[in-house]
Amino acid sequence: MRRSFKFLLRPTRHQEIALTAMLDDHRALYNAALEERREAWRRCKVSIRYGDQSAQLKQIRDADPEGQGRWSFTSQQQTLRRLNKAFEAFFRRVKAGETPGYPRFKGRGWFDTVTLVEGDGARWDSQPHHPAATHVRVQGVGHLRVHQHRPIAGRVKQIEIKREGSRWYVICSCDDVPAVPLPATGREVGVDMGVAHFATVSEPIDGVTDEGGHIANPRYLKTVEEELATAQQAYARTRRGSTRRKRAAKKIGQIHRKMARQRTDHAHKIALGLVRAADVIAVEDLRIANMTKSPAVKSDAQGGGFLPNGSAAKAGLNKSILDAGWGVFLAILTNKAESAGRDVIAVNPRNTSRTCPECGHVSGANRTTQAGFVCVTCGYAANADVVGASNIKRAGLVLRDARAA
């Protein structure tokens, strides 16, 4: 398997200055390559490819030995590949008839990652005989101390240096990471994602759910909503380019990054508990981007105005869905299950909370309230989320058996 390992860096002040210069120079290369492509098409209708721009790197480095020439040649190739991927995505969206979104120039706060190749511009564990710390060597920067909180598995192929606010991280992408199968438990569960509860499992799991099979929703955004609103109001009162504006923007970024870390930590803990407890985990195949779209505007043909479309209520639901972090959780669960030899099955969530698990009757009338389920045919009553999780489990097992047949 291919896995990534993320560690905090402990650069010195001089190394931090060098890292910032490396980001700035790679950003300048990205913007210059974008400008070349844009102007070549605008003036001459000529398309410039990655190979054309990569061939110019030697002349660029020779002309600027104290700038672009300081950094790894392969890292600059990775930056040009990053631009090429942006153009490939642009053309793909154009062909598909979607809103294309032409690649943009990167400002100082929108380019925070440089990718290097292990052994060419970067070397992991560059001081193996150091008695107390792990180091990574980056060309033009030096040996950076790494806060390595867990061992690395597999073979390091790529190394990314990333800035998040005032912190620096190293991300090692490794090949040939071995799976570590967990012992079989004989248990199969279904997981229903929600807002009132973060998730509901078809049967209770000690240390993961409560007695009803529910996992509480931590609502990290709601916890800091007032603090975030105060910080955003302070930002709105500042002048563009002022020191106070930069300080206010930094505060907003710190709040958002803390929430992101909390969501990720929560997702890891819940996913690990599920993977340890069950051999088969059936989940909903959710299209979160579609679920969080704003409703279309309804025009009033007679009055010439606009009709209410429930946008305020939908905005609140969208905020709750995004705050729960379903996408992060499902991605982490899938990766952990693969590493542990477990099976995660994504099923169509359609009508899973409206179908009676006893008689199979499907009706919107079965769900009397948000949490209540009473079958109008057989009278079966239960929590609606538990019913949904049970139906998801049943559908997942059917898909597994069909796949094995």
Side-chain angles (χ1 to χ4, degrees):
M1 297 180 296
R2 190 176 183 107
R3 289 288 181 266
S4 294
F5 300 84
K6 184 177 180 179
F7 304 106
L8 182 67
L9 287 175
R10 305 285 192 186
T12 64
R13 180 57 184 161
H14 290 293
Q15 288 175 337
E16 192 170 349
I17 293 171
L19 287 171
T20 303
M22 180 177 70
L23 283 181
D24 288 341
D25 284 342
H26 280 75
R27 179 173 62 87
L29 178 66
Y30 182 98
N31 288 339
L34 173 56
E35 176 71 10
E36 183 184 29
R37 288 193 181 213
R38 190 181 72 165
E39 290 302 306
W41 180 258
R42 187 176 69 87
R43 294 174 181 272
C44 308
K45 302 300 180 186
V46 173
S47 294
I48 296 181
R49 308 294 183 185
Y50 161 76
D52 303 322
Q53 294 187 317
S54 180
Q56 301 175 45
L57 276 177
K58 187 177 185 303
Q59 289 77 19
I60 293 172
R61 292 167 60 85
D62 291 342
D64 187 18
E66 300 301 319
Q68 296 291 343
R70 292 180 292 174
W71 317 115
S72 163
F73 185 90
T74 53
S75 71
Q76 292 170 326
Q77 287 181 317
Q78 293 295 332
T79 297
L80 294 179
R81 286 194 178 100
R82 176 176 171 179
L83 175 64
N84 195 60
K85 287 181 181 179
F87 271 97
E88 288 176 351
F90 167 74
F91 292 125
R92 184 183 66 248
R93 290 191 294 269
V94 169
K95 290 181 180 179
E98 303 172 1
T99 303
Y102 192 81
R104 299 181 181 181
F105 292 101
K106 300 293 185 180
R108 190 175 294 274
W110 295 92
F111 194 97
D112 292 324
T113 305
V114 171
T115 303
L116 305 107
V117 177
E118 161 67 17
D120 187 357
R123 191 168 77 253
W124 175 254
D125 197 12
S126 58
Q127 295 184 349
H129 302 297
H130 195 284
T134 302
H135 291 79
V136 57
R137 183 187 177 277
V138 177
Q139 180 176 326
V141 179
H143 298 273
L144 295 158
R145 184 173 179 177
V146 181
H147 181 74
Q148 187 179 0
H149 60 278
R150 60 170 175 159
I152 275 186
R155 182 165 46 95
V156 179
K157 292 288 290 181
Q158 281 188 344
I159 293 176
E160 287 187 359
I161 304 297
K162 185 175 184 181
R163 179 179 60 192
E164 293 183 7
S166 59
R167 298 185 180 186
W168 293 87
Y169 293 90
V170 58
I171 303 171
C172 298
S173 181
C174 302
D175 271 350
D176 304 326
V177 178
V180 184
L182 294 175
T185 64
R187 177 183 280 183
E188 296 133 352
V189 299
V191 180
D192 178 74
M193 306 304 299
V195 173
H197 303 285
F198 174 75
T200 301
V201 186
S202 55
E203 58 186 79
I205 298 175
D206 292 339
V208 180
T209 70
D210 59 18
E211 294 180 356
H214 303 298
I215 301 171
N217 189 352
R219 301 182 188 276
Y220 293 116
L221 177 59
K222 192 173 185 62
T223 304
V224 298
E225 207 162 20
E226 291 185 6
E227 182 185 6
L228 181 60
T230 301
Q232 290 171 334
Q233 289 164 5
Y235 177 82
R237 289 193 295 266
T238 59
R239 291 196 317 273
R240 185 184 296 271
S242 67
T243 302
R244 288 183 62 231
R245 191 178 185 89
K246 294 177 183 177
R247 193 181 302 122
K250 182 179 179 181
K251 176 64 175 177
I252 295 172
Q254 287 173 342
I255 296 172
H256 280 291
R257 282 188 291 273
K258 181 178 179 180
M259 281 193 295
R261 291 194 299 269
Q262 288 174 324
R263 288 193 192 99
T264 304
D265 179 69
H266 179 257
H268 274 288
K269 290 175 179 176
I270 299 302
L272 182 60
L274 289 172
V275 166
R276 285 175 173 172
D279 297 336
V280 179
I281 305 168
V283 297
E284 298 171 281
D285 187 11
L286 299 174
R287 299 291 184 264
I288 299 172
N290 294 338
M291 294 172 65
T292 54
K293 283 183 178 179
S294 299
V297 176
K298 297 179 181 179
S299 59
D300 185 358
Q302 296 178 351
F306 298 99
L307 297 173
N309 62 349
S311 58
K314 187 64 169 68
L317 177 61
N318 292 349
K319 183 187 291 187
S320 298
I321 291 173
L322 296 173
D323 184 26
W326 296 347
V328 173
F329 167 73
L330 293 174
I332 290 174
L333 176 64
T334 302
N335 288 336
K336 285 187 181 297
E338 183 184 12
S339 298
R342 305 304 203 202
D343 199 4
V344 172
I345 304 172
V347 305
N348 187 349
R350 182 181 177 86
N351 290 328
T352 51
S353 62
R354 299 178 179 181
T355 303
C356 178
E358 288 292 324
C359 67
H361 177 68
V362 182
S363 174
N366 288 345
R367 192 161 186 174
T368 55
T369 63
Q370 180 64 28
F373 181 95
V374 179
C375 180
V376 296
T377 300
C378 69
Y380 175 82
N383 181 277
D385 293 332
V386 175
V387 168
S390 299
N391 288 326
I392 290 167
K393 171 185 173 181
R394 182 180 291 106
L397 295 179
V398 170
L399 287 175
R400 182 198 61 178
D401 295 340
R403 189 173 57 190

